[in-house]
Amino acid sequence: MKRDSRKENRKVDGSSSAVDSTAQEPTAQTAFASYAAPLVNEAIAHANAVREDPSPEALHKLRVSLRRLRSLWWAFAPLLEKGENTRQRALYKYLATAAGKTRDWDIVIQLLTQDDSGVRSGMRDLAPKLEEARGNALATSRETLSNADVKHLLREALTSASKDINTTHERVPLRKFASKRVAASERSLMKRAKRARHARRSNYAAFHDVRKAGKKLRYLLEFFQPVLSGSHKRTLKRLKQVQKRFGTLNDIVASEMLLHDNAALLAGSGDSEAVLHWLHKERKRRMRSAAGLLRKL
């Protein structure tokens, strides 16, 4: 009887705490700033670091933080005024692109200096031109980011979005909201993966869409994992695999395009044709690898 009584008391206590936790469950509106503010601070810190640190890592961190902000704004889009949300996401894309112009040269240099297929041995004449192009791009990136006043823009975007979200009358439980947005992102990924599976092998845009959709879903799972039901470790592991394989493909395609677009800069170098030929072969190989992974999604 005492044991049963203790069980009953535990049931009552448990139900009471469940009611309390439900009553105290945060809403998507109140939680927004707790997600957005740290990301904004992080992006500002990385933007400041780029002014002093010319390394590839500094630019990469800035791009990632801006991509994560763009994904978060996408997640909260149903609670934001459509036009304002579109403008703010475009802002994050613009800033990431500014940093990306230098990052693209970093990728070219890294690819060609780490290659063991014979191209690396012929880099002696080409390397100084690539480094010069990278230096010019860095100066432009820094000037663009400085003129944009990143700190002011991001703080203003956060204030505006927070105000917009918290003026809505209907409150949505965070758990329910997060589940719906993750599900929407997952459907988007599956739709793009299906399209890429049926696309021509030369249709890189379809593969690139899969990469972007996978990255967005990964960021959302990382944001909302604490409030989502069930474990998403396997999904995150698979998404990281997609991101890695499709990312290496993107590096090759972007590098090939960058060198083609700057053919005049590289004119006179006996190695440029060999480099482009190697990149073309690598693109085909990595497209096959990405296509193989697509079939497992």
Side-chain angles (χ1 to χ4, degrees), residues 47 50-51 54 59 62 94-103 105 131-150 262:
V50 167
R51 274 183 262 166
L59 286 158
L62 175 58
Y94 167 76
L95 295 175
T97 300
K101 292 184 183 301
T102 305
R103 178 64 179 162
W105 285 109
E131 290 290 351
E132 181 183 0
R134 197 264 181 190
N136 292 336
L138 176 61
T140 301
S141 293
R142 283 173 163 172
E143 183 179 4
T144 302
L145 293 170
S146 177
N147 291 341
D149 192 358
V150 175
N262 290 271

Side-chain angles (χ1 to χ4, degrees), residues 34 36 57 73 85 144 154 176 179 195 221 245 247 270:
S34 66
E57 188 62 23
W73 255 248
N85 184 44
T144 302
L154 296 188
K176 180 180 178 181
S179 297
R195 185 182 302 156
L221 286 173
R245 193 170 301 186

Side-chain angles (χ1 to χ4, degrees), residues 35-81:
Y35 289 112
L39 288 180
V40 165
N41 291 337
E42 184 180 290
I44 291 170
H46 290 320
N48 290 336
V50 167
R51 274 183 262 166
E52 306 296 332
D53 182 2
S55 71
E57 188 62 23
L59 286 158
H60 177 62
K61 287 179 178 179
L62 175 58
R63 287 181 84 189
V64 170
S65 64
L66 290 166
R67 284 171 179 163
R68 285 167 61 83
L69 271 172
R70 197 159 181 252
S71 295
L72 185 69
W73 255 248
W74 180 90
F76 281 87
L79 306 181
L80 289 162
E81 192 274 319

